[in-house]
Amino acid sequence: PAPLLSGSCSHLWALPCPSCADGWLLAEGQKKQLQELYQLGPQLGSGGFGTVFSGTRLSDGSPVAIKRVARESVLQWDELPDGTRVPMEVVLMEKVGSGCHYIIQLLDWFELPDSFLLVMERPEASRDLLQLLLEHEVLSEEMARWLFRQVLEAVRHCTACGVLHRDIKPQNLLVNPESGDLKLIDFGCGTFLQERPYTQFAGTHVYSPPEWIACGCYYGHSATIWSLGVLLYVMVCGNLPFCKDHDIVSGQLFFGHQVSPACEDLIRWCLAKHPADRPELEDILCHPWVRGGRF
């Protein structure tokens, strides 16, 4: 593997702006060393919390994704044992970094004067699930089941590691269309899992549970189950179950596409209005629809 540089290293990296991406903008004395690690490729995408570029690890030719996160866009910070302040995203990805094939791996990270760079694995043939849904409108229940199982395993691993992702949605799921293999990405909205309620929300509003909208607080486990219900609905129906706050709070669920009774039962259970009425993660894993045959 490529040598790892500490996040507190003194090497100054700068990424070119998307409109003139022609290489690293580096001090001359640092250019040779950093180019021996990674080669920057085209921009893959950008959002509110960072810009992602393709790249190559030069030691072995492995494809990587390089995410640049501006300091001002970091939602939460944590402190390493040596006192270095780093984005919570880095800490969370390191916590979930082994033992689960369904979570994207953080390979390296660097600190810049104005931002952080996260170097992650990049499955070459994968696209985010939203792209697949836009192409196919809905997924077959067989495909949805296979993908949903992988998401459940990713969530189970996060829970075991004490991590709450908080932004499970199609855009944050990379899928290989040929194999059906899935990776959960983007821990930028994540935090440490706690038993007491959260009073701040991070994530995508249309995936937020009714208790957050109505009461301004939520529990991590039950909010995750709600987001899983929204995700499954989107996969098999091709649209969001709720778009407005009053719809989320009212909990009136309608199915525009025909789905099997077992699938509808699971979605309705996950999207129960009251958190106590929603299943536990293990209940979902044992649900008849989830245990059905693979496509």
Side-chain angles (χ1 to χ4, degrees), residues 7 67-71 74 77 84-87 90 109-112 114-118:
K67 180 179 181 180
R68 182 178 186 266
V69 182
R71 286 181 178 272
V74 175
W77 296 82
T84 304
R85 289 183 76 239
V86 298
V90 171
W109 65 275
F110 302 89
E111 184 176 6
L112 283 63
D114 63 345
S115 57
F116 288 83
L117 296 182
L118 281 63

Side-chain angles (χ1 to χ4, degrees), residues 157-190:
H157 182 74
C158 289
T159 301
C161 295
V163 169
L164 184 66
H165 186 279
R166 291 205 292 194
D167 201 19
I168 298 171
K169 60 182 181 180
Q171 296 93 315
N172 289 335
L173 298 170
L174 289 183
V175 178
N176 183 318
E178 295 184 2
S179 66
D181 291 340
L182 174 146
K183 300 271 188 182
L184 175 64
I185 66 171
D186 198 348
F187 284 75
C189 293

Side-chain angles (χ1 to χ4, degrees), residues 58-99:
L58 296 177
S59 62
D60 59 5
S62 296
V64 297
I66 303 173
K67 180 179 181 180
R68 182 178 186 266
V69 182
R71 286 181 178 272
E72 62 266 22
S73 69
V74 175
L75 293 177
Q76 294 186 91
W77 296 82
D78 196 34
E79 193 169 288
L80 298 179
D82 64 2
T84 304
R85 289 183 76 239
V86 298
M88 179 73 78
E89 182 175 6
V90 171
V91 176
L92 299 179
M93 292 195 73
E94 290 186 338
K95 284 178 70 69
V96 300
S98 61

Side-chain angles (χ1 to χ4, degrees), residues 256-273:
H257 283 76
Q258 184 175 358
V259 299
S260 67
C263 184
E264 180 175 340
D265 175 76
L266 178 56
I267 292 172
R268 289 189 180 279
W269 196 11
C270 291
L271 296 181
K273 182 175 180 178

Side-chain angles (χ1 to χ4, degrees), residues 42-47 50-54 65-68 120 122:
Q43 180 178 320
L44 296 174
S46 63
T51 303
V52 181
F53 295 83
S54 64
I66 303 173
K67 180 179 181 180
R68 182 178 186 266
M120 298 163 286
R122 175 167 60 91

